[in-house]
Amino acid sequence: MNIFHHFEDIVRGALGSLQTDGTLSADTDFARVTVEPPRDTSHGDISTNAAMVLAKPAGMKPRDLADKISTALEATGNFSAVSVAGPGFINMTLQPAFWQTRVADILGAGPAYGASEIGKGEKVNVEYVSANPTGPMHVGHTRGAVFGDALANLLEKAGFDVGREYYINDAGGQIGVLAESAFLRYREALGEDIGDIPEGLYPGDYLKPVGKALADAHGDKLLNMEADAREEIVRLAAVDAMMDLIREDLALLGIEHDVFFSERALHQSGKVETALQRLDGMGLIYEGVLDPPKGKKLDDWEATPQTLFRSTNFGDDFDRALKKSNGSWTYFAPDIAYHLDKYQRGYTHLIDVWGADHGGYIKRMNSAVQAITNGGAALDVKICQLVRLMRDGEPIKMSKRSGNFVTLREVVEEVGRDAVRFMMLYRKNDAPLDFDFAKVTEQSKDNAVFYVQYAHARIHSVLRNAKNDEGLKGVDLSDAALVGADLTCLVDEAELGLIKQMLQFPRVIEAAAEAHEPHRVAFYLFELASLFHSLWNKGKDQPDLRFILAEQRDVTLARLALIRATGYVIASGLGVLGVEPLEEMR
RNA sequence: GGUCCCGUAGCUCAACUGGAUAGAGCACCUGCCUUCUAAGCAGGGGGUUGCAGGUUCGAGUCCUGCCGGGAUCACCA
């Protein structure tokens, strides 16, 4: 479906013929040859850098080689014009009929348009959100959640077999604090006056129902129970309740994971030991003492021997601790086991989506994955930079300590799922993002969500009008009928421009999937919407360019086919972003 | 101090992984509403891509060194 692959083949074929006649040697490497649409449309439809890349190995001047390649390309009969330009670019131009008939392809594919096979069904694991189950999600989690979800959609669209996963940190010290906090609420539910929640515990009201449920289920039996057994019960109840809260929050964004992977279960299954033994067997674990961190004073620093992983063998800055000074595992150890587990479940591509504050963790995780899978799995950690919430141009202050943070729910309820999702994706993941409440609900071109959805709504508005048009009474306007329209009626530059932009979509999907960058889809959609709005308005100045011309049925059908196809592309792209393509906005 | 990310128009950001004359939106000017949604469109001004070197046919993009901003820095997750 990506037409550029087709022309890549044609260019390779032409280069092959130059190998046959001896212009290029038989072992010429074509890896650096690209076949792309030129940035500037006045340079034609398709462009290749072949002559510039191959000039040196061929011992020729780029322009001379370009002439030869150009001749070979002309001989294929695929192009209406082939020319050499600039330092040696070869620009190819196609007959309008080629573009026009592609509209039928898009209509045929419908909302599935843009799907690609480059993933070859390979298994990709996307781990995202993975927020600690200690409370509802706040706005800080939102970006990573949306990003991971869209990336998973994108990879699916590109032909990968995607697993969406959430790692539950239900084994650490924070969970102990959570259990303690929940136990307090339990005592409260039994009628005890617990006063203020002590510093360091979770003060949120969301733990009250947990206490209530524990009281309902156990009466006062927990009060006199042995501490370990009690904590076990409270802990499980609290984590379950928190995960329910988190799942509800995620549902507000339309996010659903395939697997919720428990760190606790990992410990209990003995997989942490197994994984570490595996590293030990490779000679990558030793007992040693780390140097104190430089340039930063630590009062309680002690030079204690620790169990360390030789991450420096894999490019890390220093070796990393696997056990704490009290002998228990660090966070790192089970994480290694977890990533090994993913690999053993068949995932050769691993993607982790983290917040910016975990950036310092990337090298060691990469090292660990490289080591423990013996290079069998590739890990790509995507960092999402911070989101700055703005209201009326002023940043909203949040402090964790006071519990004064904006929750995910509050944001979604105020501006809507679509706006949240789109805006979180309308920025590169590693760039900070300002999220302005006023801006994301504004109905103007300054708000990309609106602008794209508006284009889609306008398309459906025209389709509705066509259906109700007296002059088109009884005319079949179904997709099946539109596919058969005389598409050669689409001759205006703006119409052809729109078609060409639509044909970029499969390329955008593939490039975005390979780069793990869903934001490219969002930017693409903005451009596509812009071309559509432009065409729409052209019909104001030139009535003969309007979509519905009752007295010219052929033209009307062709144009309805064009905008129906445009609607599909927008819907397809928005589908990747997880944003609804609205059919009406009034 | 170490590591990672960022630095592009007055502001907010893109730039198809090294391509041709660096593009959008906002803001600022000039036009366009008896007609498919003006919630829009057309046009204009605005740039030493932080600085200095290097790699090559070609650099915003890759390498080195500075400058400025952010994140992080045994054992927390």
Side-chain angles (χ1 to χ4, degrees), chain A residues 44 173 190 199 281 300 364 457 511 519 562 577:
Chain A
L190 290 176
E199 186 78 16
D300 55 347
R364 84 187 69 167
H519 77 274
L562 173 68
L577 306 183

Side-chain angles (χ1 to χ4, degrees), chain A residues 147-222:
Chain A
F147 175 85
D149 197 54
L151 178 55
N153 292 343
L154 174 62
L155 291 167
E156 234 157 41
K157 189 108 184 162
F160 287 93
D161 178 7
V162 181
R164 299 147 188 269
E165 208 149 315
Y166 185 121
Y167 183 55
I168 310 173
N169 298 121
D170 54 359
Q174 290 306 307
I175 300 301
V177 176
L178 176 76
E180 209 178 316
S181 311
F183 183 61
L184 212 54
R185 293 300 189 184
Y186 162 74
R187 283 162 49 195
E188 183 182 45
L190 290 176
E192 194 174 324
D193 179 9
I194 58 169
D196 290 338
I197 304 292
E199 186 78 16
L201 295 190
Y202 293 102
D205 286 349
Y206 55 84
L207 283 171
K208 283 184 179 174
V210 180
K212 173 81 165 52
L214 283 168
D216 290 347
H218 301 279
D220 62 1
K221 277 187 288 187
L222 298 184

Side-chain angles (χ1 to χ4, degrees), chain A residues 461-527:
Chain A
S461 174
V462 175
L463 294 173
R464 280 190 300 271
N465 285 335
K467 207 167 287 176
N468 299 328
D469 195 289
E470 283 300 318
L472 294 170
K473 223 175 181 112
V475 178
D476 186 357
L477 299 178
S478 68
D479 285 6
L482 292 179
V483 166
D486 178 9
L487 297 168
T488 59
C489 296
L490 303 171
V491 293
D492 190 80
E493 275 309 311
E495 292 172 331
L496 288 169
L498 186 58
I499 297 172
K500 290 176 184 178
Q501 176 74 3
M502 287 196 277
L503 291 171
Q504 297 285 340
F505 184 62
R507 249 184 114 246
V508 170
I509 292 291
E510 290 179 358
E514 278 174 355
H516 300 163
E517 289 182 351
H519 77 274
R520 296 191 194 192
V521 178
F523 281 96
Y524 167 84
L525 288 175
F526 186 84
E527 284 170 31

